Structures are given as C-alpha cells and as structure tokens.
Amino acid sequence: MTTRIYGIRHHGPGSAKSLRAALDEFDPDTILIEGPADADPLVALTASAEMIPPIALLAYVAAEPAKAAFWPFAVFSPEWQAMQWAAEHEVPAKFCDLPASQTLDIKDRHREKGDPLEDLAAAAGYDDAERWWDAIVESTSDAGTFDALNEAMASLRESTTIDERTLQREAYMRQTMRKALKDGSERLAVVCGAWHAPALNQLGPAAHDARLLKGIPKTKTSLTWVPWTHSRLATSSGYGAGITSPGWYHHLFTETDKPITRWLTKVARVLRTEDLPVSSAHIIEAARLTETLAAMRSRPLAGLSEVTEATRAVLCDGDEVLLELVSARLVVGEKLGAVPEETPTVPLDADLRAKAKTLRLNQEAAARKLDLDLRKDNDLAKSRLLHRLRLLGIGWGTVTASEVRSTGTFRESWTLEWQPEYAVAIVEASMWGTTVLAAAEAKVLDQANRDDATLGDLTKLLEKALVADLTNVLASLLKLVESAAALDHDVAHLLAAIPPLTRTIRYGDVRGTDATALTRVTDSLLVRISAGLPSAVTSLDDDNAAEMRRLIDDAHGSVMTRDDHEASEQWLTTLHSISHREDVHGLLIGRIVRLLRDADRITQQDSEARLSRALSVGAEPAAKAAWVDGFLSGGGLLLVHDRQLLRLIDDWLSGLGEQDFTDALPLLRRTFGSFDQGERQAVGQAVRDPNNDNKPTTATTLDEERGKTATKAVLEILGVS
C-alpha cells in the first residue's frame, strides 16, 4: 500500500496544475480531499456538466439556518481539480476533514494566529506571502514541488504552537485515511492544505487520535452546493482562505497558451469599453515590459506584480484610477457559478429557481439595471416576485431611480445583484412556506399580528403586500389597519399612516387592485386627523415640533398627490385653522403658512404680512429663526422670486444684535444649508443686487435667421420633417 500526501494552497492554479500532473503520475485508486466529511454524498454532483465553478458547499444548522458555513471552490482550486480527476477516472473521492455537524455549532472557534507562509516569504526576501507563493509555486506546474513544500512546512511546524482545533482536524483526517486503507485502498492520495501535510505523513497510533476526537459535540446539519463568485473568493471579502487575485488565477489556469499576452488583451478590452485609446501597439509594448521585468527578477514566468506594473505604465499611463478599474474587472473579476437542478435544496429555493427561469431573470453577480413597465404582464410578474423576495429578506433586487423619463406610476426600476449569501437567506425564509408567495404571505401576517405592531407598521405592511400582490392577506391586513386606527388616538401615528395608504391607493389601479376599502380607511383617518391635529400641535418642544413638521409635510404631500377634492379641502381647512394660533411652535406655523401659500390658500401678501409679524420686536430671536426655518424649508427659490420676502428676512438679520445673531445662527445655518448650491448662489446674488428683479429682458428686434436655425434644430431633434 502506498500513500501520497499532496500539500496544496487553497485556490492556487499552480498547485492545481501540479496536482493534476501528480495524480496522472501516481494513478491513485482513492482520493481524500480536505473538506467536511458529511458532504460525501454531494461529491457525485461534481461530475455534472451543469456544475460550473465557482461554487461552494453550504452547510447550515437545520434548526438555526443562520448558523452556516461555506467551503468555496473555483475551477483553479486544487480540491476541485482532484474531484474532476476522480470523476474522469471513475475513482472514489471523499472529504476527510471534520464533519460540518461537529464544527458549525462551536461558539469559540480557535484559529491560528498569523500566516506561517509569511516566515518562508520573509526568508526568501519577499514582504508579502502571496507574492512569494505566486512567484515560487503558482508560476510552475512541477509535480515535484509537493515534497519540497512538505519539508518546508514540517520545519515551520516545529517552531509553531498548533491550536487544539487544528490538532482535532488532523486527527480526523488520519482516522479517515486509516478507514480508506482498511477498506482496501492500495494507492491512496490525500489532498490537503500544505500546513496539514506534515501531520499526515505518519499515521501513528489510532488511540491517540481517538482521544483527541472524543467528546466533540454534534448538531443536526444540512449540506448542499450553491453558486459562488470570484469576488467572494477574494481576501477583501473577509474570506479567511481568500486570495487577492481570483480573476488572475482563473486566467492562469484556463489560458495555457501565451497567458500574458492574452491577459493584456483583456485589459485593453476593458479600457476600450471606457472609450480609452488603447491600440495593439500598447499591448505589444506592455508585453515586452512584462517579460523584461520578469527576467530582471529571475522569474521563470511573469507574475501579477510584473503584469500590473506594465499595465500601469503602458496601458494606464500611470493613472491609478484606471488601474483600480482593471483590478476590479479582471484581477478580482465577477464570475458567478452554477449548480445542477438535481442539487438538494429546500422547496422554497426550487420554487424561486423555477419562477426566475420562467420570467428570464438570471442570477448574475454583476449589478445590472432592470426597467419594468407594469402595464406588461411579464414585467408585472417580475416586479411582484422581487417585492416578495424583499419581504422575505432576500435582497436580490433594489428599487432605484428610473433612467426612463416618465411621470406615470407604471414605471419601476430595479438594480439586480445576486449575492451567494442569499442561499442562507433562502433557507432561513423557508420556515414561512414552500413557495415564494406562500412564504411572503405567512411572514407578512406574522409581522402584522405581533403585539407591538403600530398603525404605521401595519400601513407599511399593507403597501408592501399590495405591490407584492399578496391578495390572500390584503383583507386581513385591512381589518387590522381599521382596528388599529379605531383604537389609536395618537395623531402622530395617524399622520404616519397616511403616506403609505395614499401610495397604495395611487398605485392600486396600475396593479389591478381594488382600492375601495383603502379609500374608506384613508378617509376615516383624515377625519380623525382633522379633529385631533389642532390640539396635538400645542405646546411642543423643539424636537417634537421638528418631528411633527416632518409628519405634516409627508401627509400634505400625500393628500395633495391623491388629488381628491374633498380630502384636499378637508386637510387645507384644518391647516388654515391652525395657522392663526399663537400657542403653536414657530417651526410648525411657518411651515403651515408656506404649505397654504403654495396651495394658493393664502395670498402672497398675506404670507408676507404673517412673516413680518413673526419677525416683530416682541418675539424671541430663536422663535423667529424657527418660524423662518419652517417657512423656507424645502427650497430657497421663493426668496429669489419674492423680493419683498427677501427684504423682510434680510432686514431682520441685519438688525439682530451680536448675541441674538449667535443664538439664531445654528437654526439659520441648517435652514440655508438645506438649499442646493444654485439656490444659495441665486439668493446671494439677489441680496447683493436688490434692484435687479431677475425678470427676463424682452428683445426689441427679432432675428429671423437665428430663429429659423433654432427651429430647424428642434424639428430634427423631435424627428419632424
């Protein structure tokens, strides 16, 4: 019986090539691979043509899916190549590390401190362990490197304290090796991290390993394969065994003919997509520089550092921003793997895959825009699916501002970006149901029936249920909203409920939803708000006044957007009744006066007279500043166009004493700081030149030739002949 230990680096293309050569030479009859032993039933799936790396083993605690772990594999991972070799040669392959059932539920996981490869790199004159490994190992594919690495690691281990968890893992690997030999293996190959290789060279007594493994707790776990991405293999993602350049490693492994030239060609292609002038001459010169740098450094093949320096100097002209673009697109890359349909999964995941396939929604790692027209059945179905997933905590899609100019409610824009971690979120969400629809409905009802659910919470849930088309729960949610509204006497809660209900009514038509019941509830809330708001705004401090202003602003916008005459009239009448009162915080009165002015409920002269009274001598400076803040919040163009208003505020500010100005300054700074830059510039110009009313001058003569040219250009833009 012969046993060979192949110490590799996880996700190393050089290790993968060397391993393939070594396996061809050794021709083993059994292969053991570092990985959770309870995943053995899943190894057979790696032979499927539909299994496309990068992929990962996912293990999670059945009772608590949030407790999960991933074991990623790329096409250039030595472990993946070992599984592929086994499948091609019909040789059994098994995992040999501690089962996930014995590692997932451990609260205190001891990890080795530091990277032992750093000592080897430092001894060789490198300041970075990955650069050393890339130069010494990844640039070659010699099967003989394994013996040298095992010897080097053995020397390192002699001066390093090994933690208990590592010792237990290695004991389990040795026990697995003993079992394979006992089962009749004559040529056993073991593929493991280089750090563990010296510990597996000699099996030693089994009793010692049994003592190390005794008493390790177990928990019930489930395992499956899930798609993974190159960016999640990167060290920057937080992956402990990550690498800095998965895209580069993938290229090295898959492009065996002229890898440097082909890589630089890819770089040029990326830069050309940004409209940068990169020619074939640039590529040739960059390739020459790369080879020169490798020769100067006595490297058998140029590595990433040489290629990066050549890219910076020749293709990017020293521009670090462009170099970062190349790094993100190519050096790290964004490639999403795939798993076969027969991969074990929870029913919810199977339903999601089926629906996504029907709707032609592809899971992609790179973010992409999706503009939907809700008048189209297929687009409406996509919208509903994405909204249901958001309710379940699966953020595949994020609603974004539309790039399609439209004032209608039938447009909806999303940014889609699939993250591998959503596999865990799907497992967690499966507790609510076996389909996306059933799970979303069950979760919404659970949230709605909680004891601490407020009226605002319920109305937001109602809005989300509508856009997700959860028709089976809408009736229940409406009853809960009506009950909560009848029992809730807090005007602030009633105000908070108006915007989501109004949006629900507004979007109900395009989504084909009957909004009659929603209208009834909204109207009843507005009646109660109109009755309770006058007393609710009395004697508020600064913080509560600011919060009430926000609620009034949101409710006002919703009521006016609804465009219902009776509702608008009722709301504006309520605001008008409050605007004359002296016992209401200036922040609220100023805001209400501004809203009434914008709605043409009071005249320009009336609003100016009220501002003049508010800035009279009898009021405190802070109260005056609060009134101004309320009146001007939301935009400064009013001051540009109403010079009388500007003069009132300017005269008041000019007349403030030093201490009064200091007291009012923070609030005024917040007010004017909310204006955009153009508005602030226009207000400043108006103060500097009070005699200029900004009215456009009228031309005394008409230039017909210029007019014809402009008209012709407009007609061409509009496509009118």
Side-chain angles (χ1 to χ4, degrees):
M1 294 184 294
T2 305
T3 300
R4 296 281 177 86
I5 310 299
Y6 299 106
I8 52 88
R9 187 194 184 189
H10 303 297
H11 319 305
S15 291
K17 290 179 181 179
S18 298
L19 179 63
R20 293 283 304 207
L23 292 176
D24 287 335
E25 179 183 332
F26 181 48
D27 192 24
D29 56 17
T30 304
I31 300 178
L32 298 181
I33 303 167
E34 182 182 329
D38 41 2
D40 281 349
L42 299 173
V43 174
L45 288 170
T46 61
S48 172
E50 297 178 5
M51 182 78 84
I52 304 173
I55 43 86
L57 277 172
L58 164 63
Y60 57 91
V61 178
E64 298 179 78
K67 291 182 178 179
F70 296 95
W71 285 262
F73 302 99
V75 70
F76 50 82
S77 299
E79 301 93 331
W80 173 259
Q81 288 302 320
M83 287 184 274
Q84 292 297 290
W85 192 96
E88 293 166 7
H89 294 79
E90 299 182 352
V91 169
K94 298 180 180 180
F95 291 113
C96 61
D97 205 346
L98 274 174
S101 61
Q102 293 182 304
T103 59
L104 282 183
D105 210 23
I106 297 175
K107 295 181 180 179
D108 184 18
R109 298 182 182 177
H110 298 283
R111 294 186 180 274
E112 301 166 12
K113 295 182 179 179
D115 184 355
L117 293 179
E118 290 180 357
D119 295 334
L120 289 177
Y126 286 80
D127 58 1
D128 178 69
E130 184 152 333
R131 285 185 59 241
W132 171 80
W133 186 276
D134 183 47
I136 303 302
V137 180
E138 297 306 336
S139 297
T140 66
S141 57
D142 184 3
T145 58
F146 292 109
D147 291 338
L149 282 173
N150 289 353
E151 184 178 347
M153 292 301 168
S155 299
L156 280 178
R157 288 174 67 100
E158 290 176 358
S159 58
T160 305
T161 302
I162 312 299
D163 65 87
E164 182 183 7
R165 176 55 51 180
T166 300
L167 292 175
Q168 289 176 334
R169 291 177 59 197
E170 292 169 352
Y172 194 92
M173 292 181 195
R174 288 191 294 268
Q175 291 286 55
T176 308
M177 291 169 61
R178 293 187 183 98
K179 185 177 184 304
L181 294 172
K182 184 178 179 180
D183 290 341
S185 176
E186 295 292 334
R187 297 183 308 281
L188 177 63
V190 181
V191 180
C192 63
W195 181 247
H196 302 295
L200 307 183
N201 276 327
Q202 299 295 328
L203 292 181
H208 173 71
D209 291 338
R211 285 194 297 270
L212 279 174
L213 298 171
K214 185 177 180 180
I216 299 179
K218 293 183 179 181
T219 186
K220 186 177 180 181
T221 57
S222 297
L223 293 97
T224 186
W225 290 107
V226 296
W228 204 247
T229 64
H230 275 172
S231 62
R232 286 298 185 274
L233 287 171
T235 306
S236 58
S237 70
Y239 173 38
I243 52 179
T244 59
S245 51
W248 164 253
Y249 279 3
H250 179 85
H251 175 82
L252 279 185
F253 189 81
T254 56
E255 298 288 352
T256 57
D257 181 35
K258 299 181 179 179
I260 302 303
T261 304
R262 293 181 183 276
W263 174 264
L264 293 172
T265 302
K266 289 181 179 179
V267 173
R269 189 177 298 120
V270 168
L271 296 176
R272 285 167 184 162
T273 60
E274 301 298 321
D275 295 328
L276 296 172
V278 180
S279 66
S280 56
H282 288 89
I283 299 173
I284 295 171
E285 187 60 32
R288 288 175 178 171
L289 179 57
T290 300
E291 293 171 358
T292 302
L293 290 172
M296 292 174 59
R297 297 168 182 174
S298 301
R299 294 200 53 179
L301 179 68
L304 180 59
S305 58
E306 289 77 23
V307 172
T308 300
E309 290 175 30
T311 299
R312 178 191 289 112
V314 180
L315 299 179
C316 297
D317 290 329
D319 191 329
E320 292 296 329
V321 174
L322 293 180
L323 191 65
E324 290 178 5
L325 173 67
V326 172
S327 177
R329 297 269 185 90
L330 290 180
V331 178
V332 174
E334 196 57 276
K335 177 181 173 62
L336 179 68
V339 298
E341 292 185 1
E342 61 268 23
T343 303
T345 184
V346 292
L348 179 64
D349 188 31
D351 181 64
L352 172 57
R353 290 186 194 179
K355 285 183 169 53
K357 184 176 181 180
T358 300
L359 297 173
R360 296 182 180 179
L361 284 174
N362 298 322
Q363 295 177 354
E364 299 175 2
R368 71 179 183 93
K369 295 287 186 180
L370 178 67
D371 285 307
L372 301 178
D373 184 343
L374 302 183
R375 296 169 298 183
K376 300 178 180 178
D377 292 342
N378 194 57
D379 282 7
L380 182 58
K382 290 178 182 178
S383 171
R384 289 169 175 171
L385 176 62
L386 293 172
H387 278 293
R388 291 168 186 172
L389 291 176
R390 286 175 61 82
L391 281 170
L392 293 172
I394 304 168
W396 182 11
T398 303
V399 179
T400 56
S402 176
E403 296 180 357
V404 180
R405 295 189 61 183
S406 173
T407 57
T409 60
F410 55 84
R411 290 286 182 187
E412 193 173 70
S413 292
W414 295 79
T415 297
L416 301 185
E417 185 175 9
W418 184 263
Q419 302 288 347
E421 291 81 359
Y422 294 154
V424 177
I426 292 172
V427 174
E428 290 184 277
S430 64
M431 65 176 287
W432 300 108
T434 57
T435 67
V436 176
L437 175 59
E441 290 177 340
K443 186 173 182 180
V444 165
L445 283 179
D446 178 78
Q447 292 178 332
N449 284 291
R450 292 178 182 175
D451 295 335
D452 59 348
T454 65
L455 177 60
D457 295 334
L458 291 173
T459 53
K460 290 177 182 177
L461 280 175
L462 182 61
E463 181 183 14
K464 292 176 180 178
L466 173 75
V467 296
D469 193 36
L470 306 183
T471 54
N472 294 331
V473 302
L474 288 178
S476 300
L477 285 175
L478 275 172
K479 290 181 180 179
L480 290 170
V481 169
E482 288 181 300
S483 299
L487 298 174
D488 198 332
H489 301 288
D490 191 327
V491 174
H493 292 170
L494 302 179
L495 283 170
I498 289 294
L501 283 175
T502 303
R503 286 193 298 268
T504 304
I505 294 172
R506 186 184 180 202
Y507 292 117
D509 291 340
V510 71
R511 293 181 179 272
T513 304
D514 184 4
T516 304
L518 296 174
T519 303
R520 184 180 67 251
V521 173
T522 305
D523 289 341
S524 66
L525 285 179
L526 196 55
V527 170
R528 296 184 58 202
I529 289 171
S530 298
L533 187 60
S535 59
V537 296
T538 305
S539 304
L540 297 177
D541 60 19
D542 292 344
D543 292 338
N544 286 323
E547 176 62 16
M548 183 60 72
R549 181 185 69 169
R550 183 188 68 79
L551 292 171
I552 289 176
D553 265 345
D554 292 345
H556 178 81
S558 299
V559 171
M560 302 309 290
T561 301
R562 182 182 166 188
D563 198 23
D564 180 90
H565 177 73
E566 293 185 6
S568 300
E569 184 66 24
Q570 185 178 20
W571 171 252
L572 292 173
T573 299
T574 302
L575 293 182
H576 197 272
S577 68
I578 298 172
S579 65
H580 298 281
R581 291 176 40 185
E582 301 291 337
D583 60 340
V584 180
H585 198 286
L587 195 65
L588 291 177
I589 292 297
R591 189 59 187 157
I592 289 173
V593 169
R594 173 65 181 275
L595 295 177
L596 292 172
R597 172 185 168 129
D598 291 346
D600 294 328
R601 197 58 182 256
I602 62 175
T603 63
Q604 175 180 333
Q605 292 74 19
D606 190 7
S607 65
E608 291 171 357
R610 296 190 189 208
L611 175 61
S612 180
R613 288 196 298 270
L615 299 179
S616 61
V617 178
E620 294 291 331
K624 298 175 183 178
W627 207 101
V628 171
D629 182 28
F631 186 78
L632 294 180
S633 62
L637 288 179
L638 184 64
L639 293 177
V640 178
H641 297 291
D642 191 335
R643 293 306 175 89
Q644 176 62 26
L645 205 62
L646 179 62
R647 280 192 290 272
L648 286 172
I649 295 177
D650 189 40
D651 291 344
W652 166 63
L653 285 173
S654 301
L656 286 175
E658 181 178 353
Q659 185 58 48
D660 290 341
F661 182 81
T662 301
D663 293 340
L665 183 59
L667 193 58
L668 292 171
R669 181 176 292 167
R670 185 182 70 185
T671 303
F672 287 90
S674 65
F675 300 165
D676 63 39
Q677 184 176 357
E679 290 176 337
R680 291 198 299 270
Q681 290 177 345
V683 171
Q685 180 63 36
V687 172
R688 287 192 297 269
D689 188 10
N691 296 322
N692 181 10
D693 59 3
N694 280 342
K695 292 182 179 179
T697 58
T698 56
T700 56
T701 60
L702 181 65
D703 190 333
E704 294 186 3
E705 291 302 319
R706 294 180 65 187
K708 290 179 180 178
T709 303
T711 303
K712 182 180 179 181
V714 171
L715 292 175
E716 289 179 355
I717 293 172
L718 296 176
V720 179
S721 57

